[in-house]
Amino acid sequence: MTKYLIVLIGCCLPILAEAQEKSVTAVKAGKLIDVVAGKVLEKQVILIEGDRIKQVGAEGSLTIPSSATVIDLSNATVMPGLID
């Protein structure tokens, strides 16, 4: 019985690790085009968890996790892209 339990736990560990370790990426945008509001926002941060955008806000209004990968596009304009 213990042998089977160990095998079951071993099989589940990669799934549990993936669920707990979603990578976080922070994109610092010098300008962000808000196509819904029709505005250009300055000094914005986009937080991406895994493959989903979780939060967008002005620099300083949200916290970038210390473990996040930061992509600095402070000198660039960011806009919504096309999806294949």
Side-chain angles (χ1 to χ4, degrees), residues 24-78:
V24 176
T25 303
V27 178
K28 291 183 175 183
K31 293 182 180 178
L32 177 66
I33 298 176
D34 181 347
V35 295
V36 174
K39 297 180 180 180
V40 178
L41 307 172
E42 294 190 9
K43 296 185 180 178
Q44 299 292 301
V45 176
I46 306 161
L47 286 180
I48 305 164
E49 186 177 307
D51 61 352
R52 305 243 183 229
I53 295 174
K54 290 295 181 179
Q55 197 171 9
V56 178
E59 199 172 292
S61 70
L62 51 93
T63 304
I64 298 173
S66 60
S67 62
T69 300
V70 178
I71 300 173
D72 189 2
L73 299 177
S74 298
N75 295 323
T77 300
V78 178

